[in-house]
Amino acid sequence: MEAERKDTAADIGLLILRIGIGGYLITHGWGKLQMLLAGGANNFGDPVGLGSPLSLVLVTASEFLCALLIILGLATRLAALPGFICISVAAFVVHARDPWTMEAAAKAFFSGASKTWFSKEPALLYLIPFLSLVFTGGGKISLDGLIAMRRNQRQTTEQRGPDRKEIRPAA
């Protein structure tokens, strides 16, 4: 009973994580999707040398499509991987020269040592949940969980045979 309660709490936590991180990232992806549909691919950055159009397509897929899959909990582990890669590029390539924390960035900006307030910290705050979802998956309160439950029910039915009734122990 206690283990079941802990499992349920963990599944609720994963649901909150998926909706929260996916919901925030999809807002970034929406803007990039609009840029892609408007033909603005050549105005997008090319941080790893793939070309601006391909970079925009990959980032849009990661930030919009994969974020939607994460919210739904469908192919969660697989969908979290492009997000992890995309955010890693943002943190360690795009913001390579920026300070690690927003506090350090603010100090540099207000002291005049930097013209921007950029740091790695926002990207790293996205990176951690995506990496966690790669390892945990979406939990039972997800489409992945529903698919697994249906698969288990079907396997149980096949093991019992179509004409046999389920045998339940007496209470």
Side-chain angles (χ1 to χ4, degrees):
M1 182 76 161
E2 181 66 26
E4 190 174 306
R5 194 175 342 195
K6 285 182 181 180
D7 287 347
T8 301
D11 290 325
I12 291 170
L14 288 170
L15 173 66
I16 293 166
L17 179 68
R18 286 192 351 260
I19 291 172
I21 199 66
Y24 271 113
L25 192 63
I26 207 167
T27 64
H28 292 276
W30 178 253
K32 292 175 179 79
L33 179 61
Q34 296 304 307
M35 178 187 280
L36 185 65
L37 296 175
N42 290 325
N43 298 327
F44 192 73
D46 182 23
V48 292
L50 298 174
S52 293
L54 182 57
S55 292
L56 180 58
V57 168
L58 293 173
V59 170
T60 301
S62 173
E63 292 184 359
F64 188 79
L65 179 62
C66 290
L68 181 60
L69 291 173
I70 288 168
I71 290 168
L72 297 172
L74 183 60
T76 306
R77 287 185 167 131
L78 185 61
L81 197 54
F84 174 75
I85 293 167
C86 178
I87 301 302
S88 294
V89 170
F92 301 114
V93 177
V94 175
H95 294 285
R97 294 189 174 134
D98 294 334
W100 282 89
T101 66
M102 290 186 285
E103 179 184 8
K107 286 179 181 177
F109 177 76
F110 287 119
S111 72
S114 176
K115 294 181 183 178
T116 67
W117 194 326
F118 299 144
S119 76
K120 292 175 181 65
E121 186 173 346
L124 294 173
L125 291 173
Y126 277 102
L127 187 72
I128 295 165
F130 281 109
L131 183 58
S132 297
L133 288 171
V134 167
F135 288 101
T136 63
K140 290 180 184 174
I141 308 171
S142 66
L143 289 179
D144 289 339
L146 180 63
I147 291 167
M149 184 178 68
R150 294 273 170 99
R151 187 179 318 128
N152 290 340
Q153 286 174 345
R154 188 175 40 227
Q155 288 173 349
T156 302
T157 302
E158 289 171 1
Q159 288 172 353
R160 282 194 318 255
D163 296 334
R164 298 179 69 190
K165 292 183 178 181
E166 183 178 346
I167 300 171
R168 295 184 185 188

